């Protein structure tokens, strides 16, 4: 899309409603991230499904760091992400064959089914089935929604519009923390309310599917040129879309020549966006963010907060998470992607090291932190969450969605989503055990990864601000490292 064409677009009520309704896919994902840790710490839930953990919690003086270390409890959280990992590849096929809107519709249906079964669970197997259905919903939603937002956004607002997905993820986490705080004293079924309310954002997404249009690129890719042109006029708010329409048609014609997009990802020209997409997702998880967000209530209880206090502290960090994402929406198309990523690495590193040092010297296997130090740790967690929320959180989804060409876009993004889900499940499954074995050193572990992330961005991630989606090849060809992948062209 040319810059002039982009600047002629108008922001209409319909366009904004498309962005908001689609972004409910992020709210769905965020609610689940936030709800899992709170439910995992509720006594009624533990007593019903994980009585061994409940007994260990009653004798917490034995070991602060190990009282929640249980592989089945961690499987409750991680099973969703293993399910999402597998389903993201099916979502990629659905995205290409059926379109973005039908795939988003399927995401909401699976997630609603997961909420119903989870809330009605009487046995562990029902819980796991519910988590698997949640995972399919997340896999389909996370594959499709960032692509949808990127494809309907005008170029000058592409970063900000795509970050609405991450904004709604943070809002979902915050709402989940509030729900957990409210239901923690609803005995004995508070956990059922928390899990059942996951259906609400999915219902909003379902309703949204009857409002939003499919993306012009998706329609044209499937041979529906006239519908695609009409959709383009709707999402641009103007009738003069001929230039952009021809560019999309040209990109789709090129994409149709590629019969095996997953195989095409193995070609040298596809290596730069594929490597960056995969490693951004790996590093996003090795910041330690989901470890903190999944288990914030549990983590704060480990530091000595009572159950309500731990949930309230998680609410505070959730509020910081939401507020800081607005910084990214404002800055991403002004400051650029690279500067936000690098600045955040510095802030996250300082916060993680400080938390690790405080806990190393002050939180032993028995006893608690004094109130002043516990408050300092909460503040440090907030500064850490703050920097993640305006950088690695949203940009981990934005950059992969805007760097693949049309012919490998859904396939490449499927690798990004599945990588995210794989490493999210690894962290979710391992974190409480790592906390038990490594104790405060776990924060030094994540700090080491943050240094690696910074070096990766410095040398391998180009600036993509203001670059048309189908013009990324010129960025790769001029990059000091990635230009080697194009030396035979």
């Amino acid at each position: 899309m040319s810059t002039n064409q982009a600047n002629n677009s108008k922001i209409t009520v319909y366009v904004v409603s498309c962005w908001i309704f689609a972004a409910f896919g992020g709210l769905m994902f965020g609610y689940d991230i936030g709800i899992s840790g709170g439910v995992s710490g509720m006594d009624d839930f533990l007593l019903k499904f994980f009585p061994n953990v409940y007994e260990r919690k009653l004798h917490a003086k034995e070991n602060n760091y190990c009282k929640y270390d249980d592989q089945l409890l961690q499987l409750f959280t991680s099973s969703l992400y293993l399910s999402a990992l597998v389903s993201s590849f099916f979502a990629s096929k659905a995205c290409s064959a059926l379109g973005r809107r039908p795939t988003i519709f399927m995401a909401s249906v699976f997630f609603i089914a997961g909420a119903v079964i989870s809330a009605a669970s009487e046995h562990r197997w029902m819980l796991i089935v519910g988590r698997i259905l949640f995972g399919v919903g997340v896999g389909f939603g996370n594959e499709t929604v960032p692509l949808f937002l990127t494809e309907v956004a005008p170029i000058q607002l592409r970063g900000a519009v795509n970050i609405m997905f991450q904004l709604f993820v943070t809002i979902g986490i915050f709402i989940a923390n509030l729900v957990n705080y409210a239901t923690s004293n609803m005995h004995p079924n508070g956990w059922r309310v928390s899990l059942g309310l996951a259906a609400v954002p999915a219902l909003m997404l379902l309703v949204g599917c009857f409002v939003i249009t499919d993306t012009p690129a998706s329609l044209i890719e499937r041979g529906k040129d006239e519908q695609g042109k009409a959709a383009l006029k709707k999402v641009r708010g103007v009738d003069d879309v001929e230039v952009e329409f021809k560019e999309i048609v040209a990109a789709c014609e090129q994409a149709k020549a590629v019969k095996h997009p997953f195989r095409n990802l193995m070609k040298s020209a596809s290596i730069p966006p594929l490597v960056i997409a995969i490693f951004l997702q790996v590093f996003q998880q090795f910041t330690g963010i989901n470890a903190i967000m999944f288990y914030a209530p549990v983590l704060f209880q480990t530091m000595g907060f009572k159950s309500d206090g731990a949930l309230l502290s998680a609410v505070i960090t959730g509020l910081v998470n939401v507020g800081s994402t607005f910084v990214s929406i404002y800055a991403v198309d002004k400051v650029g992607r690279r500067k936000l990523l690098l600045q955040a690495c510095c802030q996250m590193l300082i916060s993680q090291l400080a938390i690790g040092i405080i806990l190393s010297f002050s939180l032993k296997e028995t006893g608690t932190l004094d109130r002043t130090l516990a408050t300092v740790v909460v503040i440090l967690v907030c500064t850490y969450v703050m920097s993640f929320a305006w950088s690695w959180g949203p940009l981990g989804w934005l950059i992969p969605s805007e760097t693949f060409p049309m012919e490998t876009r859904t396939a490449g993004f499927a690798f990004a989503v599945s990588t995210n889900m794989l490493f999210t499940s690894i962290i979710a499954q391992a974190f409480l055990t790592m906390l038990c074995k490594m104790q405060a050193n776990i924060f030094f572990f994540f700090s080491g990864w943050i240094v690696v992330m910074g070096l990766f961005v410095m040398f391998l991630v180009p600036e993509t601000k203001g670059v048309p989606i189908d013009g990324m090849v010129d960025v790769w060809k001029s990059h000091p490292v990635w230009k080697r992948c194009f030396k035979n062209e």
Side-chain angles (χ1 to χ4, degrees), residues 278-292 345 348-349 352 384 388 392 419-420 422-428 430-431 434 438 442-454:
I278 288 174
F279 277 93
L280 281 179
Q281 299 299 331
V282 173
F283 291 144
Q284 189 190 68
Q285 296 313 307
F286 277 92
T287 59
I289 185 64
N290 276 346
I292 286 179
C345 282
M348 288 192 295
L349 180 63
Q352 290 269 32
Y384 161 79
F388 177 88
W392 287 87
T419 301
N420 183 285
L422 173 62
F423 282 88
T424 302
S425 66
I426 290 171
I427 293 294
F431 176 68
M434 290 169 69
M438 299 174 71
I442 194 168
F443 293 98
F444 300 128
F445 169 80
F446 288 127
S447 297
W449 279 103
I450 290 172
V451 173
V452 175
M453 290 158 46

Side-chain angles (χ1 to χ4, degrees), residues 27 41 108 123 177 217 226 292 295 301-302 306 315 410 420 458 486-487:
L27 188 70
S108 61
H123 309 283
N177 288 332
E226 289 306 312
I292 286 179
Y295 299 116
Q301 282 188 53
T302 297
K306 291 190 180 348
V315 168
T410 59
N420 183 285
M458 193 175 295
F486 297 86
K487 62 183 178 182

Side-chain angles (χ1 to χ4, degrees), residues 2 12 110 126 144 159-160 172 196 204 214 311 326 360 380 421 475 485:
S2 67
T12 65
F110 281 120
M126 292 181 70
T144 316
M204 293 299 296
D214 209 338
L311 286 170
F326 282 102
S360 293
L380 287 168
M421 295 302 125
V475 174
C485 296

Side-chain angles (χ1 to χ4, degrees), residues 11 20 24 27 53 65 87 102 113 140 143 186 205 212 232 234 252 270 421 423 440 465:
I11 309 303
I20 292 173
F24 268 96
L27 188 70
V53 180
Y65 291 99
S87 64
F140 273 65
E143 167 70 18
M186 292 173 58
L205 187 64
I212 64 176
L232 187 58
K234 290 181 76 173
C252 289
S270 297
M421 295 302 125
F423 282 88
K465 178 186 74 170

